[in-house]
Amino acid sequence: MDIIKKLEWRYAVKKFNPDKFLSEEKLERLKQAFNLTATSYGLQPIKLLVVQNKELQKELVKFSFGQKQVEQASHVFVICIEKQIDKKFIHDYFARVQQIRNTSDEILDPFKGALIESFSKKEIEEVRGWATNQAYLALGTLLTVCALEEIDACPMEGFLPKSYDELLGLDKLKLTSVLVLPVGYRAADDMFATLKKVRRDLDESIIHIP
């Protein structure tokens, strides 16, 4: 597998084939990739909402500045952040570490205490900004895995989070949406599929320090 060729194949789809759907196997692979993405401290302050409901997807278009990809896609991924990263959230993470790795309290407690103290001093918006950065890490992982699996995708920041949250019931889950990723398969007549990528030359985007 040539990963560079796969990344060259990838583009932000402008028109999906509405009649072509991801298999359960492909969908499961993307969900696993999301769950395995790197996050700061390993805390995973993010969740993935998977929408496969054409009526609901059509409703979301008006909250996505008219972008039809949301309706056409096989599935719509909504990457969300936890609204509250508090002492309990951090405790729960370290409980998982202990359960999975059987690490002693003696080793974990200093790090756990330092994280709890650090987050307790942060303003809510600072914590949400940090969590949003983790969502972008997950988006990058998903886009790369989509390319490897030849699944098409269109990363979107252009949507109304509050309206998404209300329609999808995210407030009840103590989540807020930050990114949208329709996934599926490109339409045969999407003219953007054949356009050459526009990127800087490597010597303009890469700096080597000997």
Side-chain angles (χ1 to χ4, degrees):
M1 180 186 297
D2 187 335
I3 191 170
I4 300 302
K5 287 191 179 298
K6 296 285 189 181
L7 292 174
E8 288 173 344
W9 171 88
R10 186 211 69 78
Y11 75 108
V13 171
K14 300 300 183 289
K15 186 177 181 182
F16 285 97
N17 181 341
D19 300 315
K20 196 170 180 181
F21 300 92
L22 267 63
S23 66
E24 285 300 319
E25 180 184 0
K26 293 282 190 182
L27 180 60
E28 184 64 26
R29 197 159 296 183
L30 292 180
K31 291 192 291 186
Q32 291 281 359
F34 175 85
N35 199 47
L36 287 169
T37 195
T39 59
S40 180
Y41 308 115
L43 286 176
Q44 288 184 286
I46 54 177
K47 287 193 177 180
L48 183 67
L49 187 74
V50 180
V51 180
Q52 188 188 23
N53 179 315
K54 287 298 181 182
E55 289 185 12
L56 187 55
Q57 289 171 231
K58 185 176 182 179
E59 187 76 7
L60 288 170
V61 172
K62 66 185 179 185
F63 303 130
S64 310
F65 300 101
Q67 296 178 90
K68 290 288 188 179
Q69 297 98 311
V70 173
E71 179 183 355
Q72 299 161 347
S74 170
H75 296 71
V76 176
F77 290 173
V78 183
I79 303 177
C80 309
I81 61 171
E82 303 273 358
K83 282 190 170 183
Q84 193 168 5
I85 312 295
D86 55 11
K87 185 176 181 178
K88 181 183 182 304
F89 187 91
I90 296 171
H91 268 296
D92 288 346
Y93 165 71
F94 280 95
R96 277 196 306 278
V97 173
Q98 197 163 45
Q99 179 185 11
I100 293 169
R101 296 179 176 172
N102 199 29
T103 310
S104 69
D105 288 333
E106 185 180 5
I107 293 173
L108 292 179
D109 283 351
F111 185 30
K112 178 169 65 176
L115 274 184
I116 291 172
E117 182 181 4
S118 174
F119 274 83
S120 69
K121 294 177 180 178
K122 298 179 188 295
E123 298 293 333
I124 291 176
E125 288 308 311
E126 184 182 359
V127 174
R128 290 191 180 178
W130 166 81
T132 298
N133 289 341
Q134 313 316 306
Y136 277 92
L137 287 175
L139 177 65
T141 297
L142 286 171
L143 288 174
T144 301
V145 175
C146 279
L148 294 175
E149 295 289 325
E150 294 195 351
I151 297 168
D152 288 299
C154 181
M156 291 170 46
E157 294 177 301
F159 72 103
L160 302 174
K162 288 184 179 179
S163 299
Y164 263 66
D165 293 357
E166 183 178 349
L167 182 61
L168 299 173
L170 295 181
D171 286 338
K172 296 176 185 177
L173 301 174
K174 298 180 181 179
L175 300 172
T176 188
S177 54
V178 294
L179 291 166
V180 175
L181 183 69
V183 295
Y185 297 98
R186 63 190 69 177
D189 60 348
D190 186 354
M191 61 173 286
F192 290 88
T194 57
L195 296 180
K196 291 184 177 181
K197 280 206 184 313
V198 179
R199 296 291 190 273
R200 293 179 175 184
D201 290 336
L202 277 181
D203 60 1
E204 289 185 280
S205 62
I206 310 296
I207 299 170
H208 287 276
I209 299 178

